[in-house]
Amino acid sequence: MEACYKISRALQSVRKLKPLVHHITNYVTANDCANITLAIGASPVMAADICEVRDMVSHANSLVINLGTLDSRTVESMIEAGKRANELNIPVILDPVGAGATPYRTKIAREIIDTIEVAVVRGNLSEIKALYGIDIQTKGVDSSENLSGDEDVPSYLKVFAMDFANQFHTVVSITGKMDIITDGKRLYIVKNGHEMLSRITGTGCMCTSLIGSYLGAETNSIDGALAGVATMGIAGEIGYNRLDKDEGTGSLKVKILDVIYHLSVKDILKWGKIYEV
């Protein structure tokens, strides 16, 4: 219950401060990321050109780096923006989309986390393992493995997540049917969401934007990561429960935005399935 109150306070901070979240993100989900940032109460900006990223991030409250549609032109922008964010103590959130899918994608993800001080890394289990250095195979940019929502998180995965956080000096959010969030000391499990979310492009990217929104509102890294992941899961679950029998993924996507726009403390306390281990 204490975790739910933390999320509620973080939500109130976002809506009061309206942080500017600078995205260097992928073109497939840029519109979704912008809309969910607006829905939570923050303000998005999508600026990726090397000529302006240092200036733009200087005005921002957080920086989201997303590798979804990776190309060589934006890699330099990501690193320059990240370095500038570090200089100004602006939190950086990394979404290593598809790490492990190709050697190049894995190399860039590792280069970013080695070069930039990253506050939060959010990815699926395959991506996080690839970033850690474990050989995996992915299905495109999707995870080749997942956590079962019907079981407790295995002890070895808790240890792995905490070791990742300690090795890279960051908060890691491993999202799937169940979510793990840890800073290497504290560890949370979130059991919100619905399997239908996996059939909507960009839900992971949108989750990362929510984390960026919370961190931009001066929420500390682990609480902001927890708030972003839990908000996405709660919205997915409430949205699914509001679907009519003839509605599908398109309707769910819209309902998620609506739920987040109207999200209340009461919703978080009622729906939150968050456990500190």
Side-chain angles (χ1 to χ4, degrees), residues 129-264:
K129 282 187 173 182
L131 196 53
Y132 186 79
I134 298 172
D135 288 334
I136 55 95
Q137 291 185 342
T138 65
K139 181 182 179 183
V141 296
D142 295 326
S143 183
S144 60
E145 51 189 325
N146 212 328
L147 301 174
S148 171
D150 301 322
E151 304 170 356
D152 289 331
V153 175
S155 295
Y156 78 89
L157 280 181
K158 298 174 188 175
V159 172
F160 163 71
M162 295 182 77
D163 191 54
F164 182 102
N166 286 318
Q167 178 172 321
F168 293 103
H169 307 290
T170 189
V171 171
V172 61
S173 298
I174 306 175
T175 53
K177 292 182 180 179
M178 289 190 293
D179 310 305
I180 303 173
I181 301 96
T182 181
D183 61 357
K185 300 178 181 67
R186 291 177 290 168
L187 187 145
Y188 294 95
I189 306 296
V190 178
K191 295 187 177 182
N192 285 107
H194 190 274
E195 62 181 359
M196 197 171 174
L197 289 172
S198 66
R199 301 179 68 183
I200 300 174
T201 297
T203 52
C205 300
M206 288 188 278
C207 181
T208 304
S209 292
L210 290 173
I211 294 172
S213 299
Y214 281 111
L215 264 64
E218 302 177 356
T219 307
N220 67 49
S221 295
I222 188 165
D223 289 348
L226 176 64
V229 170
T231 296
M232 192 69 198
I234 289 169
E237 202 164 327
I238 295 174
Y240 176 79
N241 279 274
R242 292 180 180 175
L243 287 176
D244 293 331
K245 63 180 181 179
D246 59 343
E247 292 182 317
T249 54
S251 298
L252 178 57
K253 185 176 179 180
V254 172
K255 290 182 189 299
I256 287 170
L257 289 171
D258 290 343
V259 170
I260 289 175
Y261 182 82
H262 291 290
L263 192 67
S264 67

Side-chain angles (χ1 to χ4, degrees), residues 17-23 42-47 51-64 80-91 212 215-218:
L17 298 175
K18 299 177 174 58
L20 178 64
V21 185
H22 180 186
H23 293 71
S43 180
V45 61
M46 276 60 180
C51 295
E52 69 170 351
V53 289
R54 287 181 62 88
D55 293 327
M56 187 63 76
V57 79
S58 299
H59 300 298
N61 301 104
S62 63
L63 170 65
V64 170
E80 283 301 308
K83 287 179 177 178
R84 183 59 175 159
N86 285 171
E87 291 171 5
L88 299 174
N89 294 315
I90 294 167
L215 264 64
E218 302 177 356

Side-chain angles (χ1 to χ4, degrees), residues 46-122:
M46 276 60 180
D49 193 280
I50 189 63
C51 295
E52 69 170 351
V53 289
R54 287 181 62 88
D55 293 327
M56 187 63 76
V57 79
S58 299
H59 300 298
N61 301 104
S62 63
L63 170 65
V64 170
I65 296 176
N66 179 304
L67 305 188
T69 48
L70 189 63
D71 69 71
S72 57
R73 293 176 300 173
T74 56
V75 171
E76 185 179 0
S77 296
M78 291 174 178
I79 292 174
E80 283 301 308
K83 287 179 177 178
R84 183 59 175 159
N86 285 171
E87 291 171 5
L88 299 174
N89 294 315
I90 294 167
V92 179
I93 302 89
L94 173 63
D95 192 334
V97 179
T102 65
Y104 176 70
R105 189 172 286 270
T106 305
K107 172 181 175 291
I108 296 303
R110 289 179 182 165
E111 181 179 347
I112 289 171
I113 202 170
D114 288 340
T115 306
I116 298 167
E117 182 180 336
V118 174
V120 178
V121 180
R122 191 226 59 88

